[in-house]
Amino acid sequence: VAALRAPLGAVAAPRAAAAPAAASVRRFASRESWDSPDDVDLDSVAYGFMASQALFSSLEIGIFDHIAAGDAAGLDVVALKKLCACDAPRLQTLLTALVAIKCLRRSPEGLYTLSPNTAQSMVTSSKHFYGDYLKFQIGRQFYQRMGALPEVMLTGKAPSYASWFSDPEVAQTYTQAQHNGSVATAKYLVKKKLQLGGISSMLDVGGGSGAFSYVFTGATPGLKSTVLELPEVCRTGEKIKAQQTQDVQDRVQFVHLDATSPKWPVPDEAFDVVLMSYISGSVPEAIIADLYANAMKALKSGGRLLVHDFMVNDSLDGPALGALWGLQHVTVNADGFGLCPPEINQRKGEG
């Protein structure tokens, strides 16, 4: 995950300019194991999808939550078969796989406990939980889309986000799953990376559930935010907005828009900040410069354009998970491209 921050009054772009990429928000996104050997571990790469499904399946049937709620010493396979409603040998097979990939630990007495990372991130009651994001968005949606990657590479035929999200169920699943992860990222940026200052207006382009807007308005008295999103995504966002404090609800509004549209339904020079989170890699490469041009038109003089997305480094050799995230985007954005800071800066200049 990378964040580009534009200081006020930057010379390179009168209204916004880029600064170095920010560090990863989540620990898993800065994993070094892909880069540690001198050569590729082909078997680990080829069989990695099996480990992914072990994790997703465990989230689906509640293994981690059941162990977390059980005795501190752990639960045995008999107890877990009952709790998971899976009274068959296949549950033992799944538990063995989870131990092998270090999600679980097994005592000599056959009791299963959670690893520290699993306990922190995959248990519903944990404040750091993002298992719903993995279960719904990655497991149920992108995992299935990645199966089409060879055909997409050869034909260039894939759905766009707009067509994919025209299905209300797809839009709701994706938006709801993304919400918790986006809230955590937004809180991190506000706490560690961004100084919003006394801004009063923000445009949140492709803002999904409105997570960044809720966090930013909550942290900035008087700030009002307009979220531009696809209609079906807005419908889910409005439901999530209704769960926020009344003060935040009053200061965040949703407006229907496909961000690839040449004209945006907002006035020129009206916003102190234009935020573009996870959208640059979700649209065709040919329109990115126009996207940034529209953002610059919406900014007040001296305002800031914030581009936040999964990116690789300038030398195009990693980090691996940023590169892989860009690759999975191909299955819903065949004409997009993997992002890196120089490419973003170039297109901001073109805009």
Side-chain angles (χ1 to χ4, degrees):
V1 180
L4 299 181
R5 175 162 137 32
L8 290 172
V11 175
R15 292 178 184 159
S24 168
V25 173
R26 291 199 186 110
R27 291 180 185 274
F28 79 89
S30 60
R31 191 175 116 184
E32 298 295 333
S33 61
W34 292 96
D35 307 314
S36 55
D38 294 329
D39 202 350
V40 61
D41 182 345
L42 292 171
D43 288 342
S44 292
V45 172
Y47 299 149
F49 76 97
M50 301 176 186
S52 299
Q53 283 292 16
L55 177 62
F56 302 152
S57 298
S58 301
L59 289 165
E60 292 281 1
I61 67 176
I63 287 178
F64 304 138
D65 280 349
H66 290 315
I67 293 176
D71 190 277
L75 297 177
D76 62 17
V77 66
V78 175
L80 285 167
K81 283 181 178 180
K82 182 177 180 181
L83 291 167
C84 296
C86 181
D87 189 8
R90 60 182 175 272
L91 187 68
Q92 179 64 73
T93 303
L94 176 56
L95 292 171
T96 300
L98 291 169
V99 173
I101 63 175
K102 297 182 172 57
C103 286
L104 298 181
R105 294 175 176 176
R106 186 178 188 273
S107 74
E109 296 76 29
L111 298 177
Y112 292 92
T113 55
L114 305 175
S115 75
N117 282 345
T118 302
Q120 175 176 280
S121 302
M122 297 294 109
V123 174
T124 307
S125 59
S126 171
K127 67 178 182 179
H128 300 292
F129 175 68
Y130 64 91
D132 51 356
Y133 163 73
L134 296 181
K135 179 171 72 172
F136 293 111
Q137 189 182 112
I138 305 303
R140 294 190 187 180
Q141 293 185 315
F142 276 125
Y143 193 95
Q144 309 304 318
R145 286 299 314 151
M146 281 296 283
L149 182 61
E151 180 180 357
V152 174
M153 296 302 297
L154 290 172
T155 67
K157 295 180 180 178
S160 66
Y161 268 99
S163 64
W164 201 33
F165 285 175
S166 65
D167 182 329
E169 183 177 351
V170 170
Q172 179 173 343
T173 298
Y174 186 101
T175 306
Q176 185 66 59
Q178 181 68 41
H179 178 69
N180 285 347
S182 291
V183 167
T185 302
K187 288 180 177 179
Y188 173 86
L189 292 176
V190 167
K191 184 177 181 180
K192 299 290 187 179
K193 296 294 177 182
L194 296 177
Q195 294 180 351
L196 294 174
I199 62 173
S200 61
S201 57
M202 182 173 84
L203 184 63
D204 189 353
V205 184
S209 67
F212 279 81
S213 288
Y214 306 144
V215 172
F216 285 16
T217 55
T220 311
L223 173 63
K224 294 182 179 180
S225 182
T226 298
V227 182
L228 300 183
E229 254 300 357
L230 296 164
E232 291 298 339
V233 177
C234 285
R235 291 185 180 92
T236 300
E238 291 283 6
K239 294 176 183 177
I240 296 173
K241 173 183 165 182
Q243 302 168 15
Q244 311 306 310
T245 65
Q246 189 61 53
D247 178 53
V248 168
Q249 290 184 50
D250 292 342
R251 292 189 283 131
V252 176
Q253 66 169 334
F254 283 84
V255 175
H256 294 183
L257 174 73
D258 179 347
T260 64
S261 172
K263 291 186 177 181
W264 292 357
V266 296
D268 293 347
E269 300 186 21
F271 299 93
D272 297 305
V273 168
V274 174
L275 171 66
M276 307 181 78
S277 180
Y278 302 137
I279 190 171
S280 299
S282 304
V283 299
E285 183 276 336
I287 71 164
I288 292 179
D290 291 337
L291 199 69
Y292 294 159
N294 279 341
M296 299 295 279
K297 284 172 59 179
L299 279 172
K300 295 177 181 177
S301 178
R304 287 185 290 179
L305 170 61
L306 304 180
V307 177
H308 170 259
D309 221 305
F310 288 90
M311 300 187 195
V312 295
N313 55 36
D314 295 2
S315 54
L316 302 182
D317 57 1
L321 292 185
L324 292 171
W325 183 264
L327 181 62
Q328 64 83 23
H329 260 316
V330 170
T331 66
V332 288
N333 181 33
D335 293 322
F337 80 117
L339 302 172
C340 64
E343 296 285 358
I344 295 295
N345 289 336
Q346 176 187 334
R347 284 158 180 80
K348 284 169 65 180
E350 291 173 359

